[in-house]
C-alpha cells in the first residue's frame, strides 16, 4: 500500500466523527479536500472504507481495520510531537483543551489568564457535549478535558480543582420562590426542563431524586444551557443547573434559586486526560495553573439572600 500520513490523519477524523463535514471543520480543510484524501486512501487499500447508511456513513470491515491502525499511528505521532515540544520548554507549544458546554461559562477566563502568563503557548478550545468529550478522550485527540463527572469506561487520570454546585432554578414569579427549606417531595408536582440524556448535570439530578425515592415530571428537553435558562424564564418549568451558568441571571434577577432541602448538590469540576498520556510542558503548565488558580479565577460568587428572595409578588407561572 502506498499511503501518506495526511491520508491516515484525514481518514481517522472522518471515521471518528462518521462525518465528512465535521472532520473538515476539525482539520480546517474543505469538504472536497477531505473526500479526496479518503478516496485516495481507498484506492491505495483497494477496498471501500466507508459505506452509505441512510443519510449517514459507516465503516466497512476494511474501514474498521484501517481505523484501528490509523488511531495507533496518530497517537504515536502526537506523542512524538509532545516530546519535541518538551525539548523546547514551557514557553512555547500548543495546547488543545476540550470542555463540557457548562464549563464554557468560565473556561475563557481561565484561558485568558493562562495565555497572559504563557504568551508563547497557542491554546485551542473546543466546547462540546459529554458524548463528544468521551470520544475525544477515547481517541486521545486532546491534551486535557475539563468536565464534571469523569468517565468510568475509559482509562483516564482525573483531578478535581473546584466546586460545581448544582441548584434548582425558577422564574422570579414562581410560587415557591418565597418559601424556605422546601421539602424535595414538593418538587414532584413541578415540571422540570431537562438537559439531554448523557448530560452530567442531568445524571446528577436524576441520581439525587432516585436516592430520595422520588419521581419528577420531565418537560421540555434541551441540549444547551442557554435554552434551559430561557425555558425556565418563560415559565415552562423548573430546572437543575450549575451555579456557574446563572451568574448574570442572578445579578439581573431574571432567575431565582429555590431553597430546596438537599441543594445545592455538591459536585466538582475535574481535569481529565488519558492514563499514561505524556503531557506536554504546555499541558502540564495548564494543569498546574488550573489546580492552583482555577478557583480564584472561575469560582461563582456565593449566593446572597437577595438571590433567593423574590423581587416581586408571584404573578403567573406556566409550569404546573
Amino acid at each position: 500500500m502506498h499511503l501518506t500520513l495526511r491520508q491516515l490523519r484525514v481518514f481517522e477524523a472522518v471515521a471518528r466523527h462518521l462525518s465528512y463535514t465535521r472532520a473538515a471543520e476539525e482539520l480546517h480543510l474543505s469538504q472536497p479536500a477531505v473526500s479526496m484524501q479518503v478516496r485516495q486512501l481507498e484506492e491505495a487499500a483497494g477496498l471501500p472504507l466507508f459505506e452509505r447508511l441512510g443519510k449517514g456513513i459507516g465503516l466497512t470491515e476494511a474501514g474498521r481495520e484501517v481505523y484501528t491502525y490509523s488511531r495507533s499511528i496518530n497517537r504515536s505521532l502526537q506523542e512524538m510531537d509532545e516530546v519535541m515540544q518538551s525539548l523546547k520548554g514551557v514557553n512555547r507549544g500548543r495546547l488543545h483543551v476540550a470542555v463540557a458546554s457548562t464549563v464554557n461559562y468560565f473556561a475563557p477566563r481561565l484561558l485568558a489568564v493562562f495565555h497572559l502568563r504563557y504568551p508563547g503557548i497557542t491554546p485551542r478550545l473546543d466546547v462540546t457535549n459529554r458524548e463528544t468529550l468521551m470520544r475525544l478522550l477515547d481517541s486521545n485527540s486532546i491534551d486535557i478535558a475539563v468536565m464534571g463527572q469523569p468517565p468510568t469506561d475509559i482509562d483516564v487520570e482525573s483531578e478535581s480543582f473546584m466546586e460545581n454546585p448544582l441548584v434548582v432554578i425558577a422564574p422570579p414569579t414562581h410560587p415557591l420562590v418565597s418559601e424556605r427549606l422546601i421539602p424535595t417531595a414538593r418538587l414532584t408536582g413541578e415540571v422540570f426542563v431537562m438537559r439531554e440524556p448523557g448530560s452530567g448535570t442531568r445524571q446528577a439530578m436524576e441520581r439525587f431524586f432516585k436516592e430520595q425515592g422520588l419521581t419528577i415530571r420531565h418537560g421540555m428537553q434541551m441540549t444547551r444551557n442557554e435554552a434551559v435558562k430561557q425555558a425556565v424564564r418563560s415559565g415552562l418549568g423548573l430546572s437543575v443547573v450549575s451555579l456557574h451558568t446563572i451568574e448574570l441571571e442572578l445579578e439581573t434577577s431574571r432567575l431565582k434559586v429555590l431553597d430546596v432541602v438537599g441543594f445545592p448538590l455538591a459536585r466538582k469540576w475535574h481535569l481529565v486526560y488519558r492514563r499514561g498520556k505524556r503531557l506536554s510542558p504546555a499541558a502540564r503548565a495548564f494543569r498546574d495553573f488550573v489546580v492552583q488558580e482555577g478557583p480564584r479565577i472561575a469560582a461563582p460568587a456565593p449566593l446572597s439572600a437577595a438571590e433567593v428572595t423574590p423581587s416581586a409578588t408571584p404573578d403567573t407561572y406556566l409550569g404546573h
Side-chain angles (χ1 to χ4, degrees), residues 32-53:
V34 169
S35 299
M36 181 184 67
Q37 293 293 326
V38 172
R39 186 167 57 252
Q40 290 174 348
L41 183 58
E42 288 181 321
E43 291 172 355
L47 291 166
L49 304 178
F50 293 102
E51 58 185 348
R52 185 63 61 179
L53 299 174

Side-chain angles (χ1 to χ4, degrees), residues 171 174-175 189-192 217 231-232 234-238 316-320:
H174 192 283
E190 301 292 332
V191 174
F192 275 79
R217 296 165 58 196
V232 173
S234 300
L236 295 176
L238 308 180
T316 302
Y317 177 64
L318 304 178
H320 287 286

Side-chain angles (χ1 to χ4, degrees), residues 156-170:
V156 296
E157 301 272 3
S158 67
E159 188 169 4
S160 64
F161 66 92
M162 185 169 62
E163 299 295 327
N164 174 26
L166 301 185
V167 295
V168 182
I169 59 171

Side-chain angles (χ1 to χ4, degrees), residues 10-197:
V10 171
F11 167 80
E12 190 273 338
V14 176
R16 176 161 34 89
H17 292 295
L18 291 178
S19 167
Y20 285 88
T21 301
R22 292 176 64 184
E25 292 172 353
E26 176 185 309
L27 299 172
H28 304 289
L29 297 173
S30 67
Q31 189 168 328
V34 169
S35 299
M36 181 184 67
Q37 293 293 326
V38 172
R39 186 167 57 252
Q40 290 174 348
L41 183 58
E42 288 181 321
E43 291 172 355
L47 291 166
L49 304 178
F50 293 102
E51 58 185 348
R52 185 63 61 179
L53 299 174
K55 294 183 178 180
I57 59 172
L59 288 167
T60 63
E61 182 179 357
R64 289 192 291 272
E65 293 293 337
V66 175
Y67 182 45
T68 298
Y69 286 105
S70 65
R71 287 179 62 188
S72 176
I73 292 169
N74 282 328
R75 280 197 295 267
S76 296
L77 290 173
Q78 184 177 4
E79 289 179 3
M80 182 182 71
D81 180 63
E82 290 167 355
V83 171
M84 295 301 102
Q85 294 295 337
S86 69
L87 296 176
K88 298 176 184 178
V90 73
N91 292 322
R92 298 179 58 187
R94 296 185 298 274
L95 173 68
H96 187 180
V97 178
V99 303
S101 56
T102 304
V103 180
N104 195 42
Y105 287 88
F106 62 82
R109 296 205 299 270
L110 287 176
L111 282 173
V113 177
F114 177 77
H115 189 56
L116 288 174
R117 190 80 50 84
Y118 300 99
I121 295 176
T122 303
R124 172 183 168 184
L125 175 65
D126 287 348
V127 182
T128 185
N129 58 27
R130 183 178 177 86
E131 181 182 355
T132 304
L133 273 181
M134 298 301 101
R135 290 203 302 266
L136 292 172
L137 283 168
D138 188 42
S139 61
N140 200 24
S141 302
I142 55 176
D143 291 313
I144 291 178
V146 186
M147 59 194 305
Q149 183 65 34
T152 57
D153 55 348
I154 304 175
D155 196 16
V156 296
E157 301 272 3
S158 67
E159 188 169 4
S160 64
F161 66 92
M162 185 169 62
E163 299 295 327
N164 174 26
L166 301 185
V167 295
V168 182
I169 59 171
T173 55
H174 192 283
L176 289 177
V177 166
S178 60
E179 299 193 20
R180 293 294 172 266
L181 298 176
I182 302 166
T184 52
R186 288 281 301 277
L187 301 182
T188 58
E190 301 292 332
V191 174
F192 275 79
V193 180
M194 307 293 292
R195 283 293 303 269
E196 76 281 4

